[in-house]
Amino acid sequence: MSTQLQVVERCRVFLAEQQIAMGDAINIRHYTDWSNYKRIQPYAVLFPKNTEQVSQILSICNELKQAVVPQGGMTGVAGAGIANADEIVIALDKMHKIEEIDQYASTMTVQAGVTLEEVQNAARQAGLFFPVDVGGRGSCQIGGNIATNAGGLSVIRYGMMREHVLGIEVVLADGRVLNLMNKMIKNNAGYDLKQNFIGSEGTLGIVTRAVLKLSAPPSELSTCLCAFPDFLSAVHLLRRLQKNLTTPNAFEVMWDEYYQLSLSWMQNSSNPLTQSYPVYAIFDVEAPAESLENLLADMFETGEILDAVIAQNQAQAQQLWLIRETVPAEISSTGRPLCFDVSLPIGELGEFKEVCQARLDQHFPDLVSLFFGHIGDSNMHIILDLKHLPEDQLESVMTGIDEVVYGVVREFKGCISAEHGIGLLKRDYLHYSVDENTLNMMRQLKQLFDPNKILNPNKIFK
């Protein structure tokens, strides 16, 4: 009997038949994540209903030295949730309870399989606000958001997932349960062990429950689209907003190639501005309309803003945001996207874009590279559609593009991953952003928490 089958048979003692999927019973969504990097059917998918069952599964797997891959909503784009054919998946789908909303502490206690959208809606119904927001909100799960330290549109004002996790419950590779649940903002009792698991991509333990910090809902937002002669003018607007009004709830920059493609894909939509420009920014800000208009008028006078439109209602605001959101959604649904998320000092992002695009154009003249992203928090996204490439060329072209993009990131002393994690896709380039001493310390942490190397093996580093 194979090790994998031994695990499954021992798990049948405490898991119901519908909590075990094998062979054709495995839904194809467990084959790959949104990266579509590899499509592999795992040996089996187990669906625990509570922390105790996660603990029992891991205890058996650790004893038999069987590799395990935790999966959430599979909305990651770095391959961290992809399992090999000889690996067993632990899917958190059935752990989807919102256990408590504490109005006084402004916290929500949830199981790891609750989706981000469910958390957002529950907070809203309680008169509160959970600010982490990403495009896959309806599918991604809180456990995965924690495991990848999710970012999204609102990071510039509210911070990444790490800033919104007060406590977690996590199961270690050997089945031990760490109770790190906590509702207090101030808790200085020794090492803050939860930080080791936030952003660890399931390589150190499996998060099963969490205490999330909620915020007061934002006041009415003004949504604005501006056009600029260059990238640094967009940065100057951001700093003026922060100095004279407040930090925007979101601040997204797009270059013209991206902007024009988005307009061409939006149905029944025309350019809300008078013409095309080199660089655009769309942002939401809590500010009186008059104050915002005066600030923009000042920058019109200096020539730093060339054109602008302020949404007059929610429908117009949504239409403006569609310009930012259409391209990734369209390429994901109809193409074969290759996505990058990198970070650099904000003042160098414009120069980075020019250098990176020039090198991509030089080496891959038939591919269009699109630049955009959460520039306010130094995060740039690059997306290319590889759907027209022959299947036998995909791997070599993807590797070549990786080498170009991450090579430029290395030259600029930036980071190869701003918010998507490392997983499989960025593993071989991690040393571009992390020195050898730090990598060795990461490996020592892995050895401490998972000495048999059963948890999400070969993710982050080999």
Side-chain angles (χ1 to χ4, degrees):
M1 185 184 297
S2 68
T3 301
Q4 294 88 351
L5 187 55
Q6 288 183 62
V7 170
V8 172
E9 291 305 312
R10 288 177 63 175
C11 287
R12 290 189 191 279
V13 174
F14 55 89
L15 295 180
E17 195 62 34
Q18 62 267 29
Q19 292 178 263
I20 301 172
M22 300 177 68
D24 292 341
I26 298 176
N27 189 298
I28 60 172
R29 83 171 192 85
H30 297 288
Y31 291 15
T32 191
D33 62 9
W34 281 10
S35 70
N36 206 27
Y37 174 57
K38 294 179 179 179
R39 298 181 63 82
I40 303 173
Q41 183 189 75
Y43 181 85
V45 181
L46 307 180
F47 297 90
K49 291 185 176 181
N50 51 50
T51 300
E52 181 182 2
Q53 290 183 348
V54 175
S55 173
Q56 290 173 291
I57 294 169
L58 285 179
S59 179
I60 293 169
C61 290
N62 191 61
E63 176 190 336
L64 298 176
K65 296 182 173 56
Q66 170 59 47
V68 175
V69 176
Q71 288 185 354
M74 298 301 283
T75 58
V77 293
I82 299 175
N84 288 327
D86 60 351
E87 294 176 335
I88 288 176
V89 164
I90 295 181
L92 282 300
D93 302 40
K94 294 185 183 296
M95 297 181 62
H96 52 75
K97 293 179 182 176
I98 295 177
E99 298 179 356
E100 179 196 52
I101 297 178
D102 186 331
Q103 297 273 3
Y104 295 104
S106 291
T107 62
M108 184 185 301
T109 302
V110 301
Q111 292 182 326
V114 174
T115 67
L116 175 59
E117 189 170 57
E118 289 171 331
V119 167
Q120 292 171 334
N121 291 340
R124 190 178 301 114
Q125 290 168 11
L128 295 165
F129 177 60
F130 189 68
V132 175
D133 190 31
V134 298
R137 64 187 68 85
S139 303
C140 66
Q141 298 174 6
I142 288 298
N145 296 151
I146 293 172
T148 56
N149 189 27
L153 298 178
S154 301
V155 168
I156 182 175
R157 178 163 185 181
Y158 294 100
M160 296 180 72
M161 192 72 185
R162 189 181 302 277
E163 280 72 48
H164 306 284
V165 179
L166 292 177
I168 60 173
E169 177 184 78
V170 60
V171 184
L172 300 181
D174 60 9
R176 285 179 295 165
V177 179
L178 293 187
N179 181 357
L180 307 174
M181 301 291 275
N182 164 71
K183 287 186 180 181
M184 291 81 73
I185 293 175
K186 299 181 75 174
N187 183 340
N188 209 18
Y191 302 139
D192 189 1
L193 291 180
K194 74 174 184 292
Q195 299 296 347
N196 290 288
F197 301 97
I198 301 173
S200 68
E201 301 181 53
T203 62
L204 303 181
I206 297 180
V207 174
T208 50
R209 295 167 65 230
V211 179
L212 306 176
K213 182 176 70 173
L214 305 179
S215 302
S219 303
E220 186 173 348
L221 297 173
S222 293
T223 298
C224 183
L225 172 69
C226 293
F228 309 92
D230 51 52
F231 170 73
L232 289 180
S233 295
V235 178
H236 190 203
L237 169 60
L238 171 62
R239 298 309 180 215
R240 288 282 300 271
L241 290 168
Q242 291 174 318
K243 179 180 179 180
N244 298 324
L245 299 177
T246 186
T247 295
N249 288 43
F251 192 91
E252 301 286 303
V253 168
M254 303 161 283
W255 276 261
D256 192 46
E257 302 92 339
Y258 181 99
Y259 185 88
Q260 299 302 332
L261 181 61
S262 187
L263 288 178
S264 71
W265 280 342
M266 290 170 61
Q267 295 182 352
N268 303 317
S269 180
S270 58
N271 191 347
L273 302 176
T274 57
Q275 62 183 69
S276 62
Y277 300 96
V279 180
Y280 309 82
I282 180 171
F283 60 90
D284 286 338
V285 64
E286 291 183 64
E290 183 178 357
S291 299
L292 177 59
E293 290 169 0
N294 290 339
L295 187 151
L296 297 179
D298 288 345
M299 295 188 68
F300 269 116
E301 291 295 323
T302 64
E304 292 173 290
I305 290 179
L306 302 178
D307 203 350
V309 58
I310 300 175
Q312 298 303 302
N313 51 52
Q314 187 60 32
Q316 289 182 9
Q318 291 174 348
Q319 193 69 12
L320 292 180
W321 273 108
L322 273 178
I323 301 173
R324 163 60 176 84
E325 296 168 354
T326 293
V327 169
E330 182 72 16
I331 292 180
S332 295
S333 62
T334 64
R336 185 158 191 153
L338 179 59
C339 306
F340 297 87
D341 83 298
V342 300
S343 60
L344 301 99
I346 189 169
E348 299 176 21
L349 282 168
E351 182 184 357
F352 166 83
K353 186 266 181 184
E354 297 303 325
V355 172
C356 190
Q357 182 156 42
R359 293 198 190 164
L360 286 170
D361 291 345
Q362 175 187 352
H363 293 281
F364 305 97
D366 296 329
L367 294 175
V368 176
S369 50
L370 304 169
F371 292 76
F372 63 104
H374 323 308
I375 301 303
D377 50 49
S378 299
N379 181 186
M380 177 180 284
H381 292 305
I382 309 165
I383 189 169
L384 300 94
D385 188 355
L386 308 184
K387 68 181 176 184
H388 295 302
L389 286 179
E391 197 70 27
D392 60 355
Q393 294 182 19
L394 271 175
E395 187 171 351
S396 62
V397 170
M398 289 172 65
T399 300
I401 295 171
D402 285 348
E403 290 173 352
V404 169
V405 173
Y406 294 136
V408 181
V409 172
R410 188 182 202 179
E411 291 174 23
F412 277 76
K413 296 181 172 58
C415 181
I416 63 166
S417 180
E419 61 179 348
H420 291 167
I422 301 300
L424 289 171
L425 273 74
K426 305 180 185 183
R427 180 187 64 191
D428 295 341
Y429 303 95
L430 184 57
H431 66 285
Y432 283 18
S433 300
V434 180
D435 67 44
E436 192 60 32
N437 286 337
T438 305
L439 280 173
N440 286 336
M441 183 58 68
M442 290 182 182
R443 294 187 181 100
Q444 289 176 44
L445 274 175
K446 173 68 172 175
Q447 180 65 25
L448 173 65
F449 284 109
D450 181 20
N452 289 324
K453 298 181 173 58
I454 69 162
L455 280 175
N456 221 5
N458 297 314
K459 310 297 171 51
I460 302 183
F461 39 70
K462 295 181 181 178

